[in-house]
Amino acid sequence: MSAAALLAVAGLVSGCSDLSEVMSLDPGGVSPTSPVARQTVAASRANVTAPRLADIPPVPKGLIPPDVVKGSVIRLVSERRSLNDLIFALPPAPTDTDRFLATTRDVLDARGLTPPPEDQPARTEAFASEIRTNLQPPPIPAEPAPHR
């Protein structure tokens, strides 16, 4: 298949034009059915001045060399991969709450731990207030001798 025929088939498949437009050697104009026809015509008629070489700004100073940036990117990607490996090695999150509760209770029962009594907040506050009343501030230090 020739290049022109291949181009024609690609144009037909993409729906951009018809076969007569693709096979024509005439540069042609803008298809009026195109959704960007107005913008295309306006852009082709615009009188735009080409930039001069003097308008190009100089290369900025103090930039980080590309090899340093590349090294940082490589290190960051390596650290991300290591972190992903660690995350994937973690066991799955427990979803069976009844089993989790049973195993937790077994550990607490084996240690002889019991939950705090209902009046524990009141007991804690009473203990703290007793300590506050018995606590004496430190004595005021003596005034130092004046400098001569």
Side-chain angles (χ1 to χ4, degrees):
M1 184 179 262
S2 72
L6 186 61
L7 185 61
V9 170
L12 286 173
V13 169
S14 66
C16 293
S17 62
D18 61 7
L19 187 59
S20 64
E21 286 181 18
V22 172
M23 297 304 287
S24 171
L25 296 177
D26 180 31
V30 177
S31 172
T33 59
S34 171
V36 292
R38 281 194 187 149
Q39 293 93 338
T40 306
V41 171
S44 68
R45 292 181 182 163
N47 187 9
V48 181
T49 57
R52 300 174 318 161
L53 286 176
D55 295 338
I56 299 174
V59 176
K61 305 251 189 284
L63 295 177
I64 299 173
D67 56 337
V68 173
V69 173
K70 180 181 178 182
S72 297
V73 169
I74 290 172
R75 182 180 47 77
L76 183 65
V77 168
S78 148
E79 289 174 357
R80 186 195 70 213
R81 287 179 179 161
S82 298
L83 178 62
N84 285 342
D85 290 343
L86 291 173
I87 290 171
F88 292 139
L90 291 173
T95 56
D96 186 4
T97 54
D98 294 330
R99 193 179 94 217
F100 174 76
L101 183 60
T103 57
T104 304
R105 281 191 178 149
D106 292 343
V107 171
L108 293 177
D109 289 342
R111 291 185 180 175
L113 299 174
T114 59
E118 294 292 326
D119 65 340
Q120 185 61 46
R123 291 169 137 189
T124 303
E125 187 54 42
F127 175 74
S129 73
E130 180 183 338
I131 295 297
R132 279 189 218 110
T133 59
N134 294 336
L135 189 65
Q136 297 296 321
I140 298 174
E143 295 243 350
H147 292 296
R148 292 186 188 201

